[in-house]
Amino acid sequence: MNIVCTSFKFPVAEKELVPNIRRFSNVEQANDIYLRCSFICLLSAIKNGGADRAIFVTDTPLDEQWASVFRNENIEVIIAESTDRFVVDSQAEWNITQYKYEAMCRVCSKLDPTDNLLFLDSDTITVESLADIYTEISDGSLMLYDTRHSYSHPARKRIRENCMLLFGEGNPVHWGGEFIAGNVKKVMEFLSECCDIAARMKDTQGLQNVADEHVTSIAITRLTGIKIRNASAYIYRFWTGDPYIVSTNYYFDRVVIWHLPAEKASGFKEVYQYYKKHAVLPNVDFIAKVSRMPTIHAPLSLRIRRRLKKLKK
């Protein structure tokens, strides 16, 4: 069976909110933002991606209003208590993101070892079939998103230096946390390594800005005998806020999953409101528009120059 999953840990204080959401929302607003995102993430994976089963994991029972939203689309809700086994620094900015490991552990405990699991961050939306992803991981490999950060990129440099503090060696690829896929048996092996890395980190002084991507990236270097695949053919981070890093590859070289970190409070809200009004998800063009993607046409000035060039011939 092909399963898709996302998770959300309810924050108890504003300091637990991740930096890119804290600046324009309080805890109550953040809860609604993440619940909307999680619902659209999973619904799109079923309707557009063709996943067999969708699971939402959280640490707090949903109120009836939200519970009915998920229930009406046959999205399972699982409650998984938050523990500290994957938490390295409870004061770290991105501490709340480490709940995903707890969520994956709970989901895996309820599945068959041969099931295929795709874990996605909640601020992702699936626009096409996920079939190729499940086909690629059917050989027992794990698939993650390579952020493509260079050796000296500050984010990867911190991961590399943390790895050196832990093991005295290592040059990890910076794997993103938004996409983790594999069969349940392999995912459990990965989670076991993540748990060991987190435990070692707790006993190590001098680590920098530890977040889930640090744990994941270092854990992957310690796994042996598991093939690691790059998910870049299937998912891409589109930064539509500030800085603005988007191209027309969302249309002409389309990946099947759009990761939209800057659209949690805006683009996803528009998609959710469309769903509530029409009882279906909008098409790709609508999603692109409300997510502030660029037009698929060349700028007008360039089109005029091209036209004039043709007329001169």
Side-chain angles (χ1 to χ4, degrees):
M1 183 173 284
N2 297 326
I3 296 127
V4 65
C5 170
T6 194
S7 67
F8 170 59
K9 179 184 182 297
F10 280 80
V12 296
E14 287 193 26
K15 67 178 182 178
E16 285 192 285
L17 300 177
V18 297
N20 63 357
I21 202 77
R22 186 187 307 151
R23 55 182 174 160
F24 54 80
S25 67
N26 56 35
V27 170
E28 185 176 351
Q29 291 168 333
N31 291 344
D32 280 339
I33 287 170
Y34 275 102
L35 289 170
R36 280 198 304 265
C37 289
S38 298
F39 176 73
I40 294 301
C41 166
L42 295 174
L43 183 64
S44 66
I46 297 172
K47 302 297 186 182
N48 297 336
D52 299 320
R53 183 177 174 190
I55 301 174
F56 176 54
V57 187
T58 184
D59 66 330
T60 303
L62 304 182
D63 61 35
E64 180 53 30
Q65 179 182 349
W66 273 110
S68 64
V69 170
F70 284 85
R71 185 170 58 245
N72 289 343
E73 291 292 353
N74 296 314
I75 297 172
E76 300 172 52
V77 178
I78 293 177
I79 307 302
E81 180 183 357
S82 177
T83 71
D84 64 355
R85 59 176 170 163
F86 292 104
V87 177
V88 177
D89 179 3
S90 61
Q91 302 303 311
E93 279 191 328
W94 295 89
N95 163 59
I96 200 169
T97 62
Q98 292 168 30
Y99 176 71
K100 69 177 57 174
Y101 302 120
E102 205 73 63
M104 283 191 284
C105 284
R106 177 59 63 89
V107 169
C108 286
S109 71
K110 295 179 174 293
L111 301 178
D112 187 276
T114 61
D115 284 336
N116 292 320
L117 178 64
L118 169 59
F119 180 91
L120 294 171
D121 272 0
S122 60
D123 53 357
T124 58
I125 188 163
T126 301
V127 296
E128 290 187 3
S129 173
L130 299 170
D132 283 350
I133 295 170
Y134 292 120
T135 297
E136 289 219 53
I137 62 174
S138 64
D139 64 354
S141 58
L142 286 175
M143 185 181 288
L144 299 96
Y145 176 64
D146 183 349
T147 62
R148 302 183 302 158
H149 286 160
S150 66
Y151 182 83
S152 59
H153 187 286
R156 184 176 171 193
K157 182 173 181 286
R158 286 191 293 270
I159 294 173
R160 188 160 42 79
E161 291 174 346
N162 284 344
C163 189
M164 288 294 292
L165 284 173
L166 291 171
F167 298 105
E169 62 179 5
N171 178 25
V173 170
H174 183 181
W175 298 106
E178 60 263 60
F179 182 114
I180 300 170
N183 69 40
V184 168
K185 183 176 183 296
K186 299 302 182 183
V187 171
M188 287 296 289
E189 291 180 31
F190 162 72
L191 291 170
S192 177
E193 192 62 51
C194 288
C195 190
D196 290 346
I197 295 296
R200 183 183 285 258
M201 284 179 164
K202 292 176 185 179
D203 296 329
T204 303
Q205 299 296 315
L207 297 176
Q208 307 175 61
N209 303 102
V210 174
D212 63 299
E213 294 183 358
H214 291 227
V215 175
T216 290
S217 299
I218 296 173
I220 290 298
T221 68
R222 313 302 293 181
L223 287 175
T224 58
I226 299 180
K227 183 174 183 177
I228 307 301
R229 294 186 181 276
N230 185 356
S232 294
Y234 303 107
I235 185 170
Y236 190 79
R237 283 183 188 176
F238 294 101
W239 285 104
T240 54
D242 184 19
Y244 187 79
I245 311 174
V246 185
S247 76
T248 53
N249 66 344
Y250 77 91
Y251 187 88
F252 291 106
D253 190 18
R254 190 177 296 173
V255 291
V256 300
I257 302 168
W258 298 357
H259 185 198
L260 302 165
E263 298 302 325
K264 292 182 180 72
S266 53
F268 277 91
K269 183 178 181 179
E270 296 277 356
V271 174
Y272 181 75
Q273 288 176 337
Y274 182 100
Y275 165 80
K276 293 297 288 184
K277 182 177 180 180
H278 301 282
V280 295
L281 288 171
N283 60 29
V284 172
D285 291 338
F286 180 95
I287 297 170
K289 181 178 180 180
V290 300
S291 299
R292 297 178 286 180
M293 294 293 202
T295 175
I296 62 173
H297 303 293
L300 179 60
S301 60
L302 178 57
R303 282 182 279 155
I304 291 173
R305 289 199 303 272
R306 286 174 177 171
R307 181 64 177 166
L308 291 174
K309 187 176 181 179
K310 286 182 179 180
L311 291 173
K312 288 179 181 179
K313 289 182 177 180

